[in-house]
Amino acid sequence: MSNRAFDNLVKKLMKYKGKLIDGEKVWVLLKSSLAEDFSIQKMYKMIYYLKIRGYLENLKKNIFFVKDPDHIYTKEEIMDLFYRTIVKKHCTDFLKGNRYIWWLKALELNLASYDIPDELSIVNQYKQATEVVMFDKQIVFKTYAKNKTDNLFRFFRKLTKPIKIGKQTFPIAGLELAILESLYNPGMISQWYINELVKKVLRKYHKTLDVKVRESILRKNKHNTSINRLYMLARTIHPDLTDKLKNLIKKYGYFI
């Protein structure tokens, strides 16, 4: 590998400084720089040198961050810059059909908390898998099925809303749905935190929370346990909401 070819490549690469590029773009730049001297072996060698000299950082398979070698980025800085872009691209590349962010992260987003989670849960119609999205951050894809023949995703998708974070827009569970999904089977570590968030919502929005949303969900025989937990939390906060939940459970669900 000649210094001239490497310097030529760096010059072209620096036009994308501070941005993400995919493997195909790197391949095009390499091929144009090496010209007739191009080979797969030399391509991998060139990428290796670009990485160790600080021009490229491989954030995940086929996605590179073009950077100034004199600027050392922390992991947290890179996450803040590109996490949501990469999540969006990952879903576009590897997930068929519609989707939405559910569970605790959806509840936090409804309350304007934008911290990056270690594990992001996304409901969709077809895929169940856990995949690494960036560094040690994961996405858990899950389906929402009543049984093998009755997929409830389309019903729950009607209870979602779009939210814009930076330049990216994501569909998330609406506040009513996010409450019930968060209260469904919380882990021992997260249970206290979820309860406190829900109580915060009840104190702030108890007059505007829509009982009809919970009724429609109970009619689908879903989230009875969550609504019972919501009822217990509401008892310590607001009597009118408690009565509404109590009547709802009597009519369409059952007490546990």
Side-chain angles (χ1 to χ4, degrees), residues 14 36 74-75 78 101 122 154 157 162 170 188 226 232:
M14 285 299 99
E36 295 179 359
T74 66
K75 181 178 175 181
I78 295 174
I101 296 171
I122 293 180
R154 291 181 182 178
R157 184 169 172 264
F170 298 93
M188 290 183 66
S226 297
M232 296 301 294

Side-chain angles (χ1 to χ4, degrees), residues 176 180 209-219 222-224 226-228 230-231 240-255:
E176 290 279 7
L180 299 183
L209 291 173
D210 190 353
V211 175
K212 290 183 178 179
V213 172
R214 298 188 205 94
E215 178 182 328
S216 66
I217 292 172
L218 275 180
R219 283 176 176 270
K222 295 295 292 185
H223 287 310
N224 183 81
S226 297
I227 292 176
N228 270 266
L230 182 62
Y231 164 69
D240 287 347
L241 179 60
T242 302
D243 289 339
K244 289 179 182 178
L245 290 170
K246 184 177 181 180
N247 292 333
L248 193 66
I249 295 169
K250 282 182 178 180
K251 190 171 183 179
Y252 299 108
Y254 53 90
F255 287 97

Side-chain angles (χ1 to χ4, degrees), residues 99-250:
R99 57 196 175 264
Y100 71 86
I101 296 171
W102 85 303
W103 202 61
L104 176 56
K105 190 67 240 175
L107 181 58
E108 289 178 329
L109 289 171
N110 272 283
L111 298 174
S113 175
Y114 302 109
D115 292 345
I116 295 172
D118 292 331
E119 187 176 277
L120 180 67
S121 296
I122 293 180
V123 172
N124 68 101
Q125 199 164 357
Y126 306 105
K127 183 175 185 178
Q128 294 208 110
T130 299
E131 298 172 358
V132 175
V133 65
M134 185 178 177
F135 297 134
D136 57 346
K137 306 299 183 182
Q138 295 182 326
I139 294 180
V140 177
F141 294 114
K142 76 177 293 290
T143 57
Y144 222 144
K146 183 178 176 181
N147 53 53
K148 290 183 178 180
T149 59
D150 185 9
N151 194 311
L152 292 172
F153 175 78
R154 291 181 182 178
F155 167 75
F156 284 103
R157 184 169 172 264
K158 295 175 183 177
L159 305 177
T160 67
K161 66 179 186 180
I163 185 170
K164 189 168 185 179
I165 309 172
K167 296 180 180 180
Q168 304 299 332
T169 300
F170 298 93
I172 70 169
L175 182 58
E176 290 279 7
L177 180 58
I179 290 170
L180 299 183
E181 289 178 336
S182 296
L183 289 172
Y184 174 75
N185 197 27
M188 290 183 66
I189 295 175
S190 60
Q191 185 169 7
W192 178 86
Y193 175 60
I194 290 171
N195 286 348
E196 292 304 306
L197 282 186
V198 172
K199 286 191 284 187
K200 180 180 178 179
V201 171
L202 294 179
R203 292 187 187 99
K204 189 172 182 178
Y205 299 109
H206 62 84
K207 292 182 179 180
T208 57
L209 291 173
D210 190 353
V211 175
K212 290 183 178 179
V213 172
R214 298 188 205 94
E215 178 182 328
S216 66
I217 292 172
L218 275 180
R219 283 176 176 270
K220 291 287 185 179
N221 294 318
K222 295 295 292 185
H223 287 310
N224 183 81
T225 300
S226 297
I227 292 176
N228 270 266
R229 288 174 176 154
L230 182 62
Y231 164 69
M232 296 301 294
L233 292 173
R235 289 175 64 181
T236 65
I237 295 170
H238 202 277
D240 287 347
L241 179 60
T242 302
D243 289 339
K244 289 179 182 178
L245 290 170
K246 184 177 181 180
N247 292 333
L248 193 66
I249 295 169
K250 282 182 178 180

